[in-house]
Amino acid sequence: MSTYCARIEKPKDLKPMSKKDSRMWGGRFNEPTDEFVQAFTASVTFDRRLAHADIEGSRAHAMMLKRIGVLSSDELTAIKYGLQQIREEIDNGKFAWSVALEDVHMNVEARLTELIGDAGKKLHTGRSRNDQVATDIRLYLRDQIETCMQGIRAFQNGLLDLAEREAHTIMPGFTHLQVAQPVSFGHHMLAWFEMLDRDHGRLEDCARRMNQMPLGSAALAGTSYELDREYTAELLGFDMPSRNSIDAVSDRDFVIEFCAAAAICMTHLSRMAEELVLWSSAQFDFIRLPDRYCTGSSIMPQKKNPDVAELVRGKAGRVSGNLVSLLMLMKGQPLAYNKDNQEDKEPMFDSLDTLIGSLRAFADMVPALEVNRDRMYQAAQKGYATATDLADYLVQKGVAFRDAHEVVGSAVAFAIEKGKDLGALTLKQLQRFDKRIEADVFDVLSLEGSLNARNITGGTAPEQVMFQINAGRERIKG
Ligand code: ARG
């Protein structure tokens, strides 16, 4: 259920109030807050990003207060009207944010009272900023995680298209960055696809787990008002109200969980970035990145640098740092709420922005890369990539695998000495290593033969790759 509906007209008998003391807790203090302390403790410079969530939460809270008889119909209309005005002011950049009002919550509430008078003062009934902020972050993050997940899906779709285009393209597969066995370039792209699929799953999990509503927990112990928490939760699209008020206002494990999922996803993107940088170098020359995603050098006219990939690799470090910041933020805190928690927002915002931006860049750049098929093929030919195939061939002729391994090792040493690839040796030369080698050996020594032989679930044979592309398309549909 959404709390947003038709536009509210200005109620007739509103009595706006002037702003007096900006502090909302001035009662027990004898001197004003030090100006430096005010700025030091304020969060409004960054938590204003939660404004829409804060307004949505307040609106639902007010609707519930009316339902249980704390607010009259007129008061609710005035609050809805005021919140709508505030939303517009914020969207139009006309809202006068005040550091003296500390955070987004008090800025919105103060403006509400200023706009609509007494009804505004009742909004905070049965609520504390502690359950308010814990709710706002959940609403905000839930929404942003959706954007991350869409970004992942867009990139995955692009990878499937690229994999389909290049399912039959042969490249050297590497272990230890040494040529290992030939693989389909499409298969390699599907490896990235799978990594992203798990990232998507982690975000989905984390969004589901965080979808419980803290409102009604108040400062930490719950509240004496008989709030209808189920109703507010339903209005805000939460699965249920939180079950423990102390936990609900104090833990930020859901932010940590998001930052962990973001760090893992960025780590994946960083590995891809590293491969893109390597492959686009003159030494590899496997791919060409689109010009619009590269930059030149101010001194060396020939240069085309893979800056976007390098930046994503660099940013992965920052996002991992954000995760560590949050873990450290949490680890020493006694229950329940502590002001430390205000520090949860900047790392979260930063991880969100970085992840969303990096996914967007890759979703556009990677599917547009040009593949140098000849270079990849030659590189696979040069690296004795079919040595395992020769061993497997001997096993089929009755040789034990360990013995076959030894035989092929000697054959490779011989080929290196001759400066030739295994497939370029004559049958006679090959038979020196084992008599059982026959003319049909050349089928398995070809790159195509090697690829096609791996026609097993998850293997690199183009037939399997095409199967996985189709299965992948089905999986990420809708
Ligand atoms: N700005 C605060 C935060 O981000 C809001 C909660 C303040 N609560 C309090 N008891 N001081 O955590």
Side-chain angles (χ1 to χ4, degrees), residues 43 47 102-103 105 129-130 133 337 339 341-342 345:
S43 53
D47 70 9
E102 203 176 312
D103 57 25
H105 322 292
R129 275 186 297 153
N130 295 354
V133 70
Y337 176 86
K339 185 79 166 176
N341 278 341
Q342 184 163 289
K345 290 164 204 66

Side-chain angles (χ1 to χ4, degrees), residues 168-188:
H168 290 84
T169 302
I170 297 179
M171 71 180 285
F174 298 92
T175 61
H176 314 269
L177 202 56
Q178 309 288 319
V179 172
Q181 289 173 349
V183 294
S184 142
F185 184 74
H187 193 52
H188 198 111

Side-chain angles (χ1 to χ4, degrees), residues 55-113:
I55 290 170
E56 199 189 341
S58 286
R59 193 179 150 102
H61 183 65
M63 287 166 77
M64 183 276 296
L65 289 178
K66 148 79 183 38
R67 192 180 168 109
I68 64 168
V70 170
L71 293 177
S72 69
S73 259
D74 287 349
E75 286 168 334
L76 175 61
T77 308
I79 288 174
K80 281 182 174 173
Y81 169 77
L83 290 173
Q84 167 191 283
Q85 294 306 106
I86 292 171
R87 199 186 149 100
E88 282 173 14
E89 287 176 9
I90 292 170
D91 290 349
N92 300 333
K94 300 219 169 87
F95 191 87
W97 294 102
S98 151
V99 171
L101 284 166
E102 203 176 312
D103 57 25
V104 61
H105 322 292
M106 295 205 283
N107 267 270
V108 170
E109 196 189 322
R111 178 69 183 138
L112 183 69
T113 305

Side-chain angles (χ1 to χ4, degrees), residues 444-471:
V444 308
L445 289 182
S446 79
L447 297 178
E448 289 79 3
S450 168
L451 229 66
N452 287 328
R454 284 163 176 76
N455 197 358
I456 178 181
T457 302
T460 198
E463 198 183 317
Q464 285 298 328
V465 173
M466 286 309 301
F467 174 81
Q468 293 296 348
I469 290 169
N470 292 327

